Amino acid sequence: MTTALVGALLLLAPLVASGAAQAQTQTPPALAPLSAYGALPSLELVQISPSGDRMAFVAVVGDQRTMALADLKTNTTLGTVGVGLAKVKAIQWVGEDKVLVTTASTESIPDFGISKTEFYLGQIFDPARRRVTRMLNGAASVFPALMGMPRVVRNNGAPLVLVRAYEFDRQNHMDLYRIDPDNGRPRAFAPLSDKVVDYVLDTQGNPVAKAEYDERTGRWSLQLKQGDDFRETFTTTALLDRPDLMGLGMNGDSVIVWADRPDLTHQGQGVRGLFDVNLATGVWRSLRFEISPQRPLFHPVNGRLVGVTRRDDDGSRYSFVEQGAGELWAAVESGFPGKKPELVSWSDDLRQAVVYTSGDGDSGAYHLVDLDDASVSTVGSAYPTITPEMVAPVRLVTYDAADGLEIHGYLTLPPGRADARGLPLVVLAHGGPEWQDESGFDWEAQAMASRGYAVLQANFRGSTGYGLSFLEAGYGEWGRKMQTDLSDGVRYLAGEGVIDPKRVCIVGASYGGYAAMAGPTLDHGVYRCAVAVSGVSDLRRMIAWEAAQGVRKDNETVRYWNRFMGGDGPGDRSLDARSPARLAETADAPILLIHGRDDTVVPIEQSRVMAAALRRAGKPVELIELSGEDHHMSREETRTQMLTETVRFLEANNPPGAPSN
């Protein structure tokens, strides 16, 4: 089966389907330019329509994004619309004929006292009329930005578009509005308030449960629709790790909540995980699956729970409780032996699905699985110019940290050099830190491996994916054991003979940027150079900035950083002993700092402060500011600039072909 999507994409960009994975050889392949790795994925957000007959997707050429719709039955393009530089967060079908596009942009609104903030906007594309309609259009009393992601539900078969929005005339109200898909105009649908953090809709789009949270007290409450009113059925105090109200239960008469319930025991221990809460009685029941879930999955039509998923060392795993979903996924797994496909979207009848693969010999590809045709076909590639033989091999590594904790990670080796010894190493630290590196294609790791470096991505303590105890082992360990978990990996690989311990640099972004700066300033004698992208350099200053962003200084974000950093707010001077900017005089390796000027997560001040401190101390430092770039490297030009400057700095301070001295 040949999908219309491939043909539609070829009209927009020179994409080539990824094809089958090829075995790695010991002959180094031709080098792809760094711009091939720094490019934004050529294809993303592939969404199949409710009937399974159509597909919507975003194609990227340079920094310009274009959304396209294709008819899979007739192999024709239904229409395209330019999105431009805007970051596309999601696309959703509104019936079979329209598509809702949610974008984000960084803006300042001085009249409202709003500095640089990322706003969500919604547009509805109607290809038949060649019209793009802005959501929340024509309502002067409603703030034009979306207060959360919009939802499309089926109301007696017809699509219903709902979104939260802020009304100027009603203080502290972010109500639920119904959007007319033909003109974008909002109409009040259900009252909410700014304390409502989660809500669940029934199949007609009506709220049947909502959760409220008071950030000051940490009080979280669950309210269930009973008759014409909502009744509070459960409360708890959670200054951190508050419960999440997630969706409808399997039978539609309950809701799914993620929570920590030490009062509900299983085998003598409190239960933390997914619960089914009955709407009529408010009774909680712990849910058990074949895998320990990280995220629930819901039916595209009725919104009911159909399964769960989690990521482990081998990729994504799924467990389904609904027969149709289980049958579809069994077909997916049989169609991709030896791979770990990821579910992207599926049709209403669960007979078609779009899945994503990446890994050995695969730089990332989307595929369509069709149960009716008993077929699997490649839709398109995320990085088409990075051919299978250019994809560096990735292998799982495990090693013990100094205190005996087992650390899992991934080692990427240069293409064609799988058996090489004594390689130069780049430690690539992930962000979060409550995050995890995975086994699939990673554009940064692959780019550096293509230039002759081994790349270690360690899931240090505090990472997700390895259980609650492993996550909690990272609390208070910024600059401490979270840092030495990385250098313990260096020592392990040196002991195995894979890398040369005298030829090691560290690179990271966000929290990984902090780890990169902490390498030369806190973990001496390990690294020859460091590259910190959008990193935190002064912990006390960072917490003070977060305190200033919220309505209260003691807000939830500040409490989160206190727990992970091991501090007690912006006044805690003990944080200075683990702040690279306050330890600049101890730096034992040159440092490159890269930061986007539109970063709303970690302010660029953090890199400027570090650069100034290093210069005062007479230490080698470079600072590169990326104009128009955010925290997530969302623009191709600046993303490629970041990657090019990183490799330049690595090659200058740790040449891949030079012996150690």
Side-chain angles (χ1 to χ4, degrees):
M1 172 181 174
T2 301
T3 70
L5 181 55
V6 174
L9 284 172
L10 288 173
L11 297 174
L12 301 169
L15 300 186
V16 180
S18 64
Q22 299 179 9
Q24 295 289 340
T25 69
Q26 288 299 307
T27 302
L31 282 178
L34 287 176
S35 58
Y37 298 92
L40 295 171
S42 297
L43 176 64
E44 58 186 5
L45 299 174
V46 181
Q47 295 291 307
I48 197 163
S49 71
S51 70
D53 292 340
R54 295 179 170 185
M55 196 172 283
F57 54 90
V58 173
V60 184
V61 180
D63 279 339
Q64 298 296 315
R65 293 172 170 87
T66 300
M67 191 188 71
L69 275 62
D71 190 307
L72 301 179
K73 298 300 183 183
T74 62
N75 284 340
T76 57
T77 302
L78 298 173
T80 63
V81 59
V83 182
L85 295 175
K87 294 167 285 187
V88 182
K89 294 296 185 180
I91 58 178
Q92 300 167 268
W93 282 91
V94 181
E96 283 290 307
D97 302 318
K98 300 181 180 70
V99 173
L100 190 163
V101 186
T102 302
T103 60
S105 61
T106 303
E107 305 288 346
S108 297
I109 309 178
D111 291 344
F112 289 91
I114 299 175
S115 57
K116 285 185 178 179
T117 302
E118 189 169 72
F119 291 101
Y120 283 14
L121 302 173
Q123 298 87 27
I124 297 176
F125 176 41
D126 184 343
R129 299 181 180 180
R130 299 183 180 274
R131 177 188 298 174
V132 178
T133 302
R134 180 169 57 86
M135 291 176 61
L136 302 177
N137 185 34
S141 64
V142 177
F143 189 65
L146 312 181
M147 298 297 150
M149 294 296 292
R151 305 187 187 188
V152 181
V153 299
R154 315 289 196 274
N155 185 354
N156 297 320
L160 181 65
V161 181
L162 300 170
V163 69
R164 292 186 77 177
Y166 182 85
E167 187 176 355
F168 295 115
D169 297 337
R170 301 185 64 200
Q171 187 177 8
N172 297 328
H173 271 263
M174 288 189 293
D175 294 331
L176 194 62
Y177 286 83
R178 177 175 182 169
I179 305 298
D180 187 328
D182 290 324
N183 56 34
R185 292 177 182 169
R187 188 175 69 199
F189 185 78
L192 297 172
S193 75
D194 63 339
K195 288 187 176 181
V196 174
V197 290
D198 297 310
Y199 59 96
V200 172
L201 307 175
D202 63 14
T203 53
Q204 284 74 47
N206 298 305
V208 293
K210 59 184 180 180
E212 291 191 353
Y213 184 68
D214 187 315
E215 188 176 54
R216 181 181 65 85
T217 64
R219 186 180 189 272
W220 185 91
S221 67
L222 176 64
Q223 301 175 31
L224 304 179
K225 187 71 173 293
Q226 296 178 346
D228 295 331
D229 298 318
F230 282 89
R231 184 170 67 89
E232 183 176 274
T233 62
F234 174 80
T235 66
T236 188
T237 299
L239 293 171
L240 285 167
D241 299 328
R242 55 182 162 91
D244 285 330
L245 175 60
M246 310 189 83
L248 284 175
M250 289 177 281
N251 299 319
D253 58 357
S254 60
V255 290
I256 303 301
V257 179
W258 182 96
D260 186 1
R261 292 292 306 268
D263 56 313
L264 299 179
T265 59
H266 175 72
Q267 297 179 347
Q269 294 184 337
V271 180
R272 179 186 177 102
L274 290 178
F275 291 87
D276 182 275
V277 183
N278 188 275
L279 287 169
T281 65
V283 173
W284 290 55
R285 179 173 62 89
S286 177
L287 296 178
R288 304 288 172 182
F289 301 91
E290 295 177 352
I291 60 176
S292 177
Q294 288 179 320
R295 182 170 59 90
L297 301 170
F298 297 97
H299 197 284
V301 178
N302 57 40
R304 297 178 182 179
L305 180 73
V306 295
V308 295
T309 181
R310 72 168 287 108
R311 294 181 183 274
D312 59 22
D313 286 339
D314 294 325
S316 296
R317 296 174 60 197
Y318 295 84
S319 176
F320 290 100
V321 295
E322 202 273 345
Q323 182 177 356
E327 180 184 349
L328 174 62
W329 199 250
V332 169
E333 292 187 323
S334 66
F336 298 94
K339 290 182 174 285
K340 285 288 184 179
E342 299 177 24
L343 176 65
V344 177
S345 64
W346 47 13
S347 60
D348 280 2
D349 61 5
L350 306 181
R351 301 294 293 175
Q352 293 85 23
V354 175
V355 299
Y356 178 80
T357 63
S358 73
D360 286 349
D362 183 354
S363 60
Y366 292 89
H367 312 271
L368 177 64
V369 177
D370 191 323
L371 290 188
D372 293 332
D373 291 347
S375 64
V376 177
S377 53
T378 299
V379 172
S381 175
Y383 293 93
T385 59
I386 302 175
T387 57
E389 66 275 5
M390 293 178 179
V391 179
V394 182
R395 74 182 194 217
L396 175 68
V397 294
T398 59
Y399 58 91
D400 288 338
D403 63 356
L405 183 66
E406 185 175 74
I407 306 297
H408 294 228
Y410 300 97
L411 180 65
T412 304
L413 296 173
R417 302 184 64 188
D419 298 326
R421 312 284 286 175
L423 290 168
L425 176 68
V426 173
V427 175
L428 182 58
H430 68 66
E434 199 170 339
W435 195 252
Q436 69 185 109
D437 278 315
E438 300 166 4
S439 59
F441 181 89
D442 183 292
W443 59 275
E444 289 182 271
Q446 290 284 330
M448 289 182 276
S450 75
R451 267 52 192 174
Y453 296 97
V455 182
L456 172 64
Q457 295 171 276
N459 284 320
F460 43 82
R461 71 192 68 205
S463 301
T464 55
Y466 300 94
L468 180 60
S469 296
F470 190 87
L471 175 67
E472 291 178 339
Y475 293 172
E477 295 298 334
W478 278 52
R480 295 169 174 156
K481 291 180 180 179
M482 286 167 64
Q483 193 69 33
T484 55
D485 285 348
L486 299 173
S487 51
D488 285 338
V490 174
R491 288 180 276 274
Y492 165 76
L493 293 176
E496 295 291 306
V498 176
I499 64 103
D500 182 344
K502 296 181 180 180
R503 303 167 66 199
V504 183
C505 288
I506 183 169
V507 177
S510 196
Y511 168 80
Y514 166 82
M517 289 182 276
T521 57
L522 282 160
D523 200 4
H524 298 120
V526 181
Y527 305 106
R528 292 179 62 157
C529 68
V531 180
V533 181
S534 306
V536 177
S537 69
D538 187 323
L539 305 190
R540 194 152 50 97
R541 188 185 293 260
M542 183 67 195
I543 292 180
W545 181 82
E546 292 285 14
Q549 304 307 301
V551 176
R552 294 177 49 82
K553 290 185 177 181
D554 180 27
N555 58 58
E556 191 176 10
T557 303
V558 169
R559 295 195 290 260
Y560 176 86
W561 288 126
N562 282 339
R563 179 171 71 180
F564 250 109
M565 292 178 181
D568 188 23
D572 186 352
R573 294 186 177 275
S574 71
L575 294 171
D576 295 352
R578 289 175 286 128
S579 294
R582 297 179 185 268
L583 304 170
E585 68 279 357
T586 70
D588 63 356
I591 298 175
L592 170 63
L593 305 168
I594 303 175
H595 215 122
R597 289 177 179 161
D598 285 351
D599 194 332
T600 60
V601 179
V602 176
I604 194 171
E605 174 194 35
Q606 287 285 325
S607 287
R608 290 172 177 168
V609 166
M610 183 66 178
L614 288 166
R615 287 169 183 148
R616 284 195 303 269
K619 301 294 183 176
V621 61
E622 296 181 43
L623 171 61
I624 296 174
E625 299 186 4
L626 304 177
S627 180
E629 186 54 88
D630 60 13
H631 188 70
H632 309 289
M633 294 293 140
S634 300
R635 295 185 55 225
E636 181 164 311
E637 178 183 355
T638 43
R639 189 162 111 151
T640 299
Q641 181 185 357
M642 180 275 287
L643 188 58
T644 302
E645 295 290 356
T646 296
V647 171
R648 172 193 62 79
F649 193 77
L650 292 174
E651 292 177 340
N653 292 281
N654 191 20
S660 60
N661 48 41

